[in-house]
Amino acid sequence: MSRPPALTDPLLDTLRGRVCASTSDTHTSTEVFTGGELAVLPASSVTDVRTAYERASRAQREWAARPVEDRLAVFHRFHELLLRDREILVDLLQAETGKARRDAFEELCEPALVTSYYLRTARKLLRPKRRAGLMPGAIGVTELRQPKGVVGIISPWNYPFALALGDLIPALIAGNGVVCKPDSQTALSPLFGADLLYRAGLPEDLLQMVLGDGPTIGGAVVDTCDYVGFTGSTRTGALIAARAGERLIGCSLELGGKNPMIVLDDADIAATARSAVRGCFANAGQLCLALERIYVPDAIFDRFAAAFVAEVGRLRQAAGYSYGADVGSLTSRRALKTVSEHVDDARAKGATVLAGGRPRTDLGPFFYEPTVLTDVTPDMLCHASETFGPVVTLYPYATEDEAVALANDTDYGLNASVYGRDPVRARRVAARLRTGTVNVNDGYAAAFGSTDAPMGGMGASGLGRRHGAAGLLRYTEVQSVAAQRVDLVNPPRWLPHGVYSRLMAATLRVMKKTRLR
Ligand code: NAD
């Protein structure tokens, strides 16, 4: 058994106890740095998912009736506990994903930022709002935000804590119960997050954790819950949208990307190269927002390529539970296989490997070197499909229009990046890109860390947005309550309908002109 220092037997028992599972089935997760056994966790059945839904639903009624201030008090305490216990969490995250410690620490910042953002804004976002009635004084209209009920959160393995907690916290704040299904390989950190929330005072049963295989247990979550917040691949997202559509429930889908970066000809080459390595190789490239395509002007291509490759050469890749490594491991054998296939295919078809290009099994079973390719053509796997690993391709371009067209030449539309000294020009180019977020002079953190701004994907990268008002309000139903004081719609008995309709037509004309409403 290979375990990080923080994963003691009592902690493991506590985390196991947070899974809603009634059978003796189990799943064994892997300690990624060594490939050894990490933890044996209970597996849920379809019946357990229904039980989880019913428990969460019962607890939700009382929770939704509480004033928002009372609900927020739990998240104040959660935020404190999260920062206090951060090193335990970082250990768990590293063990189950193989990420570098700095990436694991960066991951816990997302739920911390999301929590403090909604602590500041939820009261205002959720409070009833007066809307204009048909006629002032005659009808008083109030817009209410009702919780959906029980929200299903289905999350992937690459940022297992950030993506589960960052999405389920606003669902709870909005007054919902939650059934959360993380990936089984990376369940320790979301279970730890659930435990922190309960220690912070979340009512018993409101948040249910279920574990198991995606199609069966994830499918059961979609078949039972009242709304689904999904993060994962585009292929699974499409299945979930279809299934949610059959039940006429809403869903938000945060999916894959093939994210472009444009270097403008006025960019500071050294600073751009230094910043871009983080955008490409954070979390060993297993980041939905990671940059996989870099477009560089012909005139500075060679200089930029040399500076970028030099920066890549400075990255320290290592296993271990201490700060120091810049790049960690891939999370699974499957990820290593995809990355190796993409690079080998590109090399075999004539691409040039400027840096990396090999697995590093001397460091750990799933490590792969940060890799830079050029001369990549459309027949190569890594040209258009998501590699989701530490592989980036440099492409030359002649004009700004060509760079924009190449960047937009994809079904995806998640994240993009533009580097240049002239901020007005860089923002103008940014606005021409078809992606949900664009970072100017940064890879991804500027947009992702700005929790007041919505974030999500266009096209094959998803539907809906997390963060900002949209990230909370997606978990609510809008209800308009119109209280009539004077009956304007039904004419008095003594007034003939013909006269009434003429009077109404005249009134409608006046209302258009005077905006009398
Ligand atoms: P995945 O789609 O295979 O799995 C994601 C989750 O869905 C897992 O919990 C899985 O068990 C579950 N699942 C699988 N099949 C299911 C089904 N038929 N019904 C219900 N649930 C099912 O994705 P993955 O490989 O775990 O994650 C990597 C992908 O996620 C990449 O494409 C990456 O770009 C994307 N991603 C997107 C974002 C974003 O915010 N846009 C963030 C992280 C990852």
Side-chain angles (χ1 to χ4, degrees):
M1 169 90 77
S2 325
R3 284 221 200 138
L7 187 58
T8 57
D9 283 337
L11 176 59
L12 189 52
D13 284 345
T14 303
L15 300 184
R16 284 189 183 119
R18 287 284 167 215
V19 184
C20 180
S22 60
T23 70
S24 54
D25 292 350
T26 56
H27 174 87
T28 304
S29 63
T30 303
E31 198 263 4
V32 174
F33 290 139
T34 60
E37 182 178 305
L38 175 63
V40 179
L41 293 172
S44 312
S45 64
V46 169
T47 309
D48 292 326
V49 176
R50 285 197 206 106
T51 307
Y53 175 86
E54 280 154 22
R55 286 182 185 158
S57 184
R58 272 196 297 275
Q60 186 264 338
R61 280 171 227 139
E62 189 273 328
W63 176 246
R66 287 197 200 177
V68 178
E69 289 71 28
D70 282 13
R71 300 205 294 254
L72 290 178
V74 174
F75 300 93
H76 269 293
R77 289 190 291 270
F78 165 79
H79 192 275
E80 279 160 28
L81 290 177
L82 170 60
L83 294 182
R84 196 195 68 188
D85 287 357
R86 64 186 183 278
E87 293 298 324
I88 303 174
L89 175 62
V90 165
D91 267 7
L92 300 181
L93 272 169
Q94 282 202 280
E96 62 189 9
T97 64
K99 61 180 68 188
R101 201 162 185 85
R102 66 174 289 188
D103 291 328
F105 180 79
E106 191 174 281
E107 175 160 0
L108 77 82
C109 297
E110 153 73 2
L113 287 167
V114 165
T115 302
S116 49
Y117 174 69
Y118 290 120
L119 283 173
R120 286 195 304 278
T121 58
R123 225 172 275 110
K124 190 166 170 210
L125 289 171
L126 295 174
R127 77 172 168 229
K129 292 180 184 61
R130 290 189 59 183
R131 298 288 174 211
L134 175 56
M135 190 74 83
I139 298 178
V141 181
T142 314
E143 178 189 309
L144 303 178
R145 289 283 170 175
Q146 305 285 12
K148 291 272 183 186
V150 176
V151 170
I153 297 288
I154 302 176
S155 51
W157 47 265
N158 64 326
Y159 279 81
F161 182 76
L163 298 171
L165 272 288
D167 279 354
L168 69 81
I169 284 169
L172 292 168
I173 288 177
N176 297 283
V178 168
V179 175
C180 173
K181 194 213 86 64
D183 190 286
S184 300
Q185 163 59 27
T186 54
L188 291 176
S189 62
L191 288 170
F192 187 71
D195 193 57
L196 287 179
L197 280 164
Y198 279 117
R199 278 195 269 146
L202 198 72
E204 204 50 42
D205 283 346
L206 188 67
L207 167 60
Q208 297 288 322
M209 304 297 289
V210 293
L211 292 184
D213 132 84
T216 313
I217 300 306
V221 170
V222 183
D223 288 346
T224 30
C225 287
D226 304 311
Y227 181 88
V228 178
F230 172 78
T231 307
S233 63
T234 296
R235 190 178 43 80
T236 310
L239 293 174
I240 287 183
R243 213 153 164 167
E246 276 173 26
R247 294 191 57 226
L248 289 177
I249 58 164
C251 60
S252 52
L253 307 168
E254 303 284 347
L255 310 177
K258 187 75 185 173
N259 308 306
M261 162 175 154
I262 296 178
V263 183
L264 296 173
D265 54 17
D266 66 343
D268 175 333
I269 292 180
T272 302
R274 216 170 27 249
S275 165
V277 286
R278 188 76 193 139
C280 300
F281 302 115
N283 209 35
Q286 301 166 112
L287 165 64
C288 55
L289 307 170
L291 305 166
E292 295 198 1
R293 307 178 279 148
I294 303 186
Y295 298 99
V296 188
D298 288 324
I300 59 167
F301 187 88
D302 291 343
R303 276 193 294 145
F304 178 79
F308 186 65
V309 167
E311 288 296 337
V312 173
R314 286 189 194 102
L315 292 172
R316 296 158 300 174
Q317 190 171 30
Y321 293 95
S322 57
Y323 290 99
D326 301 303
V327 183
S329 174
L330 293 169
T331 295
S332 65
R333 193 168 302 289
R334 200 181 71 169
L336 179 65
K337 184 165 169 283
T338 306
V339 171
S340 302
E341 264 171 22
H342 276 209
V343 176
D344 294 348
D345 167 78
R347 199 181 346 232
K349 291 174 180 161
T352 306
V353 181
L354 295 178
R358 286 181 310 133
R360 287 294 307 270
T361 40
D362 53 318
L363 299 175
F366 313 132
F367 277 80
Y368 199 94
E369 285 180 323
T371 298
V372 185
L373 304 176
T374 190
D375 302 319
V376 165
T377 47
D379 58 323
M380 299 176 190
L381 288 172
C382 68
H383 179 76
S385 33
E386 187 184 39
T387 304
F388 214 55
V391 181
V392 62
T393 300
L394 306 186
Y395 297 92
Y397 73 84
T399 64
E400 197 179 288
D401 284 349
E402 186 194 1
V404 169
L406 289 168
N408 284 337
D409 185 18
T410 171
D411 294 336
Y412 290 114
L414 189 58
N415 182 44
S417 182
V418 179
Y419 283 81
R421 276 199 178 91
D422 175 355
V424 176
R425 180 181 172 209
R427 280 173 192 237
R428 200 187 62 229
V429 173
R432 296 176 67 193
L433 298 177
R434 294 279 303 157
T435 55
T437 48
V438 189
N439 296 269
V440 172
N441 293 328
D442 182 57
Y444 64 92
F448 195 57
S450 303
T451 43
D452 191 31
M455 98 130 268
M458 299 185 189
S461 292
L463 290 176
R465 296 290 182 267
R466 56 164 62 102
H467 293 176
L472 183 79
L473 297 181
R474 65 181 155 153
Y475 298 125
T476 63
E477 294 282 4
V478 186
Q479 182 181 49
S480 300
V481 178
Q484 176 154 287
R485 298 180 197 108
V486 181
D487 188 351
L488 294 169
V489 180
N490 299 302
R493 262 184 236 280
W494 49 264
L495 190 65
H497 273 276
V499 178
Y500 171 77
S501 61
R502 279 198 298 282
L503 277 174
M504 269 309 279
T507 309
L508 290 171
R509 266 188 210 105
V510 172
M511 283 169 83
K512 179 184 166 214
K513 281 196 189 121
T514 60
R515 302 203 182 149
L516 178 69
R517 285 210 283 150

